[in-house]
């Protein structure tokens, strides 16, 4: 694959100067029964930041974090390095992982109803987490569970502690999951499509809650989503994944104002707008390549309007700072053809879209 | 919204009875309550709303799969025949339904081409020899290759399966297509392909569409007219651009503001407190009043009727009826 020198350069260049990442994933590869799912992922999550991981189904966004926490089935072959505050997690003994999972690193999923135990009261499930990770018992644990329910905005928390998951709505169950995740006072919360199963107005409530608890507890948040809008709403930095690799990484502001990778641009053009004139959607033709039939070159080359022969022949370049990126948190992209200064408009770019982007580049967004 | 439509719903209501416990009294659940809609040929009516708002029930009523407990459904000028009658079966060839989950809608043991040909066999359309050509044409129309007809559903991607389901729905050359969350299970880049295809098919074949979805951005993209539902009632309906740019009903305002946008946010988010109530415990008055930021005491008592606003859209809100601008400013 890549030589060690380049790897070090790539990994260190993702780190803002003077900061050791809380979670450092380096050259992580995962294969299921020999079929590659993750093909070399470098990702650094810093203390207290909200980091988004976006991509379509099968791109490896969930697998990245599941592999990092040792949550993949034994059929998966995991290689690379995952360090939490310098401690290697890959191949770590079970006792170490048990302390990390649910303790220093918590995770919530898309479907809270199936993540909760249906035959136990939700309060008891939160108390169990408090006992395992904080050593709390009896009335102290129940009082803390009540405080957590209050924190995540569950109305009438004392009574709700005695409810069963089926008595609560999907939004309330997701709040319970968040309370349980917070029980271990995590340094990092991984939220894997936390609002995908929820209605729009409930999704807004849960995203608000995630922002609030992240701000109040100072924990880092990794938000995994297929929805660019959800990511834009919560995250300060974003990594875009395609076919088992990170293809672009930048601050949310830079990414949404000026996406550099043709795939990221394609994704944004494929989204219908909420206002302005209606235009024909710019679909990305074709489909994601099957994991057992990856093209020799860049995985996106077969669908890319900018691809040249070199894109099809050679593996894509490593994730490197884009030209002209001198800021402390540079825009990274893994594309031969991405050049922010002389970029050619991909063929699916419509005039209105690029005009909108130019506007937002001139006037930096006032995102909440 | 009356007269001239291919499909007309006139003050339609559908009431289920639900028992809260085994021996408890049955509670009436008004899944759809006094809804009037019209879908003209070659036009798309978008229905948006959250789970439990009655949008899927409305789609089933539109196809005659469920009988309304009040009101009437008219298709092409004639009353919808009773479910299962020969008249209804004949009509079914002209009305088709597409669901969210294409894998569940396809038979895993039959190749795609056989399934696309099934409606032709059932409705005895064309000769046996013609049917193979017709299936090939249909597969091409939805962007599949005719040779992909020999594949089984599990051999196709999610997007290709939804195309196959559409090819089957189009086999009888329907006048009306009811699409219930047809692209919600697909990835963004594939969603765009299917949305464009639906627009092309509508332009080429003049199909009327009832497009049911929770995704406001997609509904705005495909619809000529849109209706926003909450707890079985229409809260606001009219031109999608106007409604999503400048919603009047407080519920539509919250729904529009809740849509996550990739990029700078245009309007402040209105986060509603609470959740939609259980339809079995419908609040008195306006169904939205317990969560409404601008509700007044009258809203607890009076069920607001749809009022036509100066720009032609209809809004069911007491506050908007008194003064549209006041409601908008207050919210």
């Amino acid at each position: 694959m890549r030589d060690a020198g380049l790897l070090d350069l790539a990994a260190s260049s993702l780190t803002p100067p003077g900061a050791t990442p809380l979670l450092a994933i380096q050259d992580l590869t995962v294969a299921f029964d020999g079929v590659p799912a993750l093909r070399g992922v470098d990702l650094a999550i810093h203390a207290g930041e909200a980091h988004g991981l976006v991509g379509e189904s099968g791109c490896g966004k969930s697998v990245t974090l599941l592999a990092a926490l040792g949550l993949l089935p034994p059929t998966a072959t995991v290689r690379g390095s995952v360090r939490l505050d310098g401690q290697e997690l890959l191949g770590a003994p079970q006792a170490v992982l048990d302390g990390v999972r649910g303790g220093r690193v918590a995770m919530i999923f898309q479907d809270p109803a199936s993540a909760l135990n249906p035959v136990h009261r939700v309060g008891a499930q939160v108390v169990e987490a408090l006992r395992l990770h904080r050593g709390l018992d009896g009335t102290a644990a129940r009082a803390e569970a009540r405080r957590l329910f209050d924190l995540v905005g569950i109305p009438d928390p004392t009574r709700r502690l005695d409810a069963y998951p089926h008595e609560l709505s999907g939004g309330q169950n997701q709040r319970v999951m968040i309370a349980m995740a917070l029980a271990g006072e995590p340094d990092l919360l991984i939220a894997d499509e936390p609002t995908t199963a929820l209605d729009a107005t409930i999704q807004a409530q849960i995203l608000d809650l995630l922002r609030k608890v992240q701000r109040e507890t100072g924990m880092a948040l990794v938000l995994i989503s297929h929805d660019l809008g959800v990511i834009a709403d919560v995250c300060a930095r974003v990594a875009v994944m395609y076919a088992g690799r990170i293809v672009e990484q930048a601050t949310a502001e830079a990414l949404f104002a000026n996406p550099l990778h043709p795939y990221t641009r394609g994704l944004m053009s494929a989204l219908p707008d909420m206002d302005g004139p209606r235009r024909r959607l710019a679909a990305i033709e074709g489909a994601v390549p099957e994991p057992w039939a990856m093209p020799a070159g860049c995985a996106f080359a077969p669908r890319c309007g900018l691809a040249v022969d070199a894109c099809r022949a050679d593996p894509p370049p490593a994730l490197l700072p884009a030209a002209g990126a001198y800021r402390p948190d540079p825009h990274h992209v893994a594309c031969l053809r991405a050049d922010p200064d002389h970029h050619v408009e991909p063929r699916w770019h419509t005039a209105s879209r690029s005009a909108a982007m130019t506007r937002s580049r001139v006037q930096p967004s006032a995102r909440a | 919204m009356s007269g001239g439509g291919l499909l007309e719903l006139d003050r339609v209501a559908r009431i289920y009875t639900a028992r809260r416990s085994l021996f408890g009294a049955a509670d009436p659940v008004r899944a759809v309550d006094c809804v009037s809609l019209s879908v003209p040929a070659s036009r798309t009516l978008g229905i948006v709303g959250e789970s439990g708002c009655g949008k899927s029930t409305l789609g089933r009523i539109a196809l005659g799969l469920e009988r309304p407990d009040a009101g009437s459904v008219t298709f092409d000028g004639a009353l919808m025949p009773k479910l299962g009658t020969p008249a209804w079966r004949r009509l079914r060839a002209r009305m088709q339904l597409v669901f969210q989950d294409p894998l569940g809608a396809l038979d895993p043991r039959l190749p795609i081409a056989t399934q696309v040909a099934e409606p032709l066999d059932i409705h005895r359309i064309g000769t046996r020899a013609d049917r193979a050509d017709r299936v090939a044409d249909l597969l091409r129309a939805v962007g599949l290759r005719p040779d992909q007809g020999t594949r089984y559903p599990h051999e196709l991607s999610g997007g290709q399966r939804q195309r196959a389901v559409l090819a089957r729905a189009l086999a009888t050359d329907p006048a009306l297509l009811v699409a219930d969350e047809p692209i919600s299970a697909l990835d963004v880049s594939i969603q765009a392909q299917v949305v464009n295809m639906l627009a092309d098919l509508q332009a080429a074949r003049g199909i009327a569409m009832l497009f049911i979805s929770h995704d406001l951005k997609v509904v705005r993209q495909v619809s000529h007219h849109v209706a926003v539902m909450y707890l079985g009632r229409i809260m606001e309906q009219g031109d999608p651009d106007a409604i999503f740019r400048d919603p009047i009903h407080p519920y539509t305002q919250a729904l529009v503001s809740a849509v996550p946008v990739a990029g700078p946010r245009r309007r402040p988010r209105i986060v509603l407190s609470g959740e939609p109530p259980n339809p079995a415990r419908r609040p008195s008055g306006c169904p939205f009043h317990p969560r409404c930021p601008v509700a007044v005491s009258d809203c607890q008592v009076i069920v607001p009727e749809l009022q036509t606003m100066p720009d032609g859209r209809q809004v069911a809100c007491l506050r908007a009826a008194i003064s549209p601008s006041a409601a908008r400013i207050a919210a």
Side-chain angles (χ1 to χ4, degrees), chain A residues 57 169 199 201 205 276 278 284, chain B residues 50-51 187 220 223 272 275:
Chain A
S57 29
S169 66
D199 274 322
T201 59
Q205 292 175 357
R278 272 181 273 174
I284 307 176
Chain B
E50 300 180 278
S51 28
D187 271 321
R220 176 182 182 268
S223 304
L272 293 176
E275 308 193 354

Side-chain angles (χ1 to χ4, degrees), chain A residues 323-345:
Chain A
Y326 48 85
R327 295 177 300 275
D329 196 358
H331 198 141
H332 288 73
V333 64
C335 175
L336 282 179
R337 302 277 288 149
D339 180 347
D341 297 324
H342 309 99
H343 70 250
V344 186
E345 290 290 306

Side-chain angles (χ1 to χ4, degrees), chain A residues 153-177:
Chain A
I154 294 176
D156 197 1
T158 312
R159 221 160 52 89
R160 287 293 191 283
L161 285 171
D162 292 324
Y164 290 95
H166 75 267
E167 297 175 299
L168 301 179
S169 66
Q172 297 294 0
N173 275 326
Q174 196 58 288
R175 287 177 195 269
V176 171
M177 286 306 298

Side-chain angles (χ1 to χ4, degrees), chain A residues 95-120:
Chain A
V96 171
L97 289 176
D98 284 345
V100 167
R101 298 187 294 224
R104 296 206 58 196
V105 182
M107 194 158 183
I108 58 172
F109 299 94
Q110 173 171 339
D111 182 10
S114 62
L116 288 166
N117 189 328
V119 299
H120 289 289

Side-chain angles (χ1 to χ4, degrees), chain A residues 240-291:
Chain A
V240 182
M241 291 191 71
Y242 186 79
R245 281 206 175 105
I246 293 176
V247 296
E248 184 164 5
Q249 187 177 35
T251 63
E253 202 174 328
L255 187 88
F256 291 110
N258 185 24
L260 294 178
H261 198 283
Y263 172 63
T264 317
R265 293 179 174 208
L267 268 189
M268 290 188 189
S269 300
L271 281 176
D273 291 319
M274 211 34 203
D275 43 40
R278 272 181 273 174
R279 61 190 167 85
R280 189 174 171 83
L281 295 182
I284 307 176
E285 293 307 323
V288 180
E290 302 290 353

Side-chain angles (χ1 to χ4, degrees), chain A residues 56-57 169 172 199-205 208 211 228-230 232-233 256 267 270-276 278-281 283-286 303 365, chain B residues 50-51 187-190 192-193 195-196 200 216-218 220-221 223 240-241 244 255-256 258 260-266 269 271-275 291:
Chain A
E56 299 180 284
S57 29
S169 66
Q172 297 294 0
D199 274 322
T201 59
I202 309 303
Q203 166 167 286
Q205 292 175 357
D208 256 28
R211 260 197 308 266
L228 285 164
V230 166
D233 217 78
F256 291 110
L267 268 189
L271 281 176
D273 291 319
M274 211 34 203
D275 43 40
R278 272 181 273 174
R279 61 190 167 85
R280 189 174 171 83
L281 295 182
I284 307 176
E285 293 307 323
R303 305 174 75 187
S365 60
Chain B
E50 300 180 278
S51 28
D187 271 321
V188 170
S189 68
I190 309 299
Q193 294 175 7
V195 162
N196 286 342
D200 294 344
L216 268 60
K217 283 185 282 197
V218 172
R220 176 182 182 268
Q221 179 72 23
S223 304
D241 286 339
F244 293 148
L255 199 60
V256 169
V261 286
R265 180 163 288 282
R266 260 191 79 241
R269 166 170 294 164
V271 175
L272 293 176
S273 58
E275 308 193 354
R291 302 174 77 200

Side-chain angles (χ1 to χ4, degrees), chain B residues 22-323:
Chain B
L22 189 58
F23 301 108
D27 287 326
V29 179
R30 300 182 82 87
V32 172
D33 190 18
C34 199
V35 168
S36 300
L37 289 171
S38 164
V39 194
S42 316
R43 294 272 139 179
T44 300
L45 169 66
I47 310 270
V48 289
E50 300 180 278
S51 28
C53 74
K55 56 190 193 299
S56 292
T57 304
L58 196 65
R60 293 174 57 80
I61 291 172
L63 290 170
L65 292 168
E66 299 207 14
R67 269 195 100 62
D69 295 295
S72 64
V73 182
T74 321
F75 183 82
D76 209 4
L79 271 182
M80 180 68 65
K82 229 172 143 180
L83 177 68
T85 57
W88 179 79
R89 277 179 209 286
R90 275 196 300 279
L91 214 52
R92 277 291 278 130
R94 302 191 56 206
M95 316 178 292
Q96 293 289 340
L97 178 60
V98 175
F99 295 106
Q100 172 171 351
D101 172 24
L103 196 57
L106 292 167
D107 187 330
R109 296 161 305 174
L110 291 177
I112 295 300
T114 311
Q115 303 193 48
V116 174
E118 228 171 5
L120 301 175
D121 298 336
I122 290 169
H123 294 285
R124 299 196 182 85
I125 296 169
T127 64
R128 201 170 287 268
D130 291 342
R131 284 177 199 162
D133 289 341
R134 203 173 154 118
V135 167
D137 286 345
L138 285 164
L139 290 173
R140 268 194 290 268
V142 297
L144 291 171
R145 292 192 314 272
D147 65 275
Q148 284 172 320
T150 59
R151 305 251 187 107
Y152 288 85
H154 73 270
E155 297 175 298
L156 299 177
S157 70
Q160 288 171 330
R161 277 181 215 135
Q162 196 60 294
R163 287 168 191 270
V165 169
L166 270 164
R168 184 177 62 184
L170 295 172
T172 56
D173 206 5
L176 173 72
L177 191 64
V178 174
D180 192 352
E181 303 275 7
I183 61 166
S184 302
L186 306 177
D187 271 321
V188 170
S189 68
I190 309 299
Q191 280 190 355
Q193 294 175 7
V194 176
V195 162
N196 286 342
M197 188 181 70
L198 284 172
D200 294 344
L201 289 169
Q202 181 169 55
R205 294 162 178 253
I207 304 173
M209 252 189 265
L210 195 61
F211 192 96
I212 300 166
S213 179
H214 70 283
D215 188 331
L216 268 60
K217 283 185 282 197
V218 172
V219 166
R220 176 182 182 268
Q221 179 72 23
V222 301
S223 304
H224 301 97
H225 188 93
V226 67
V228 180
M229 287 185 73
Y230 187 79
L231 276 186
R233 292 181 73 90
I234 293 178
M235 299 285 112
E236 182 162 359
Q237 64 167 325
D239 172 51
D241 286 339
I243 286 183
F244 293 148
R245 187 181 52 239
D246 187 21
I248 291 178
H249 195 287
Y251 176 63
T252 322
Q253 289 180 350
L255 199 60
V256 169
S257 84
V259 174
V261 286
R265 180 163 288 282
R266 260 191 79 241
R267 64 181 84 239
R269 166 170 294 164
I270 304 161
V271 175
L272 293 176
S273 58
E275 308 193 354
N278 185 334
R281 273 163 254 176
R282 170 193 292 280
S284 62
C286 170
F288 185 60
H289 87 258
R291 302 174 77 200
C292 180
V294 295
V296 291
S297 57
D298 271 356
C299 301
Q300 300 173 19
V301 194
I302 303 168
V303 182
E305 295 289 322
L306 282 168
Q307 308 278 337
T308 305
M309 297 286 124
D311 68 353
R313 83 177 96 172
Q314 293 188 306
V315 182
C317 176
L318 291 179
R319 298 296 309 274
I322 299 161
S323 159

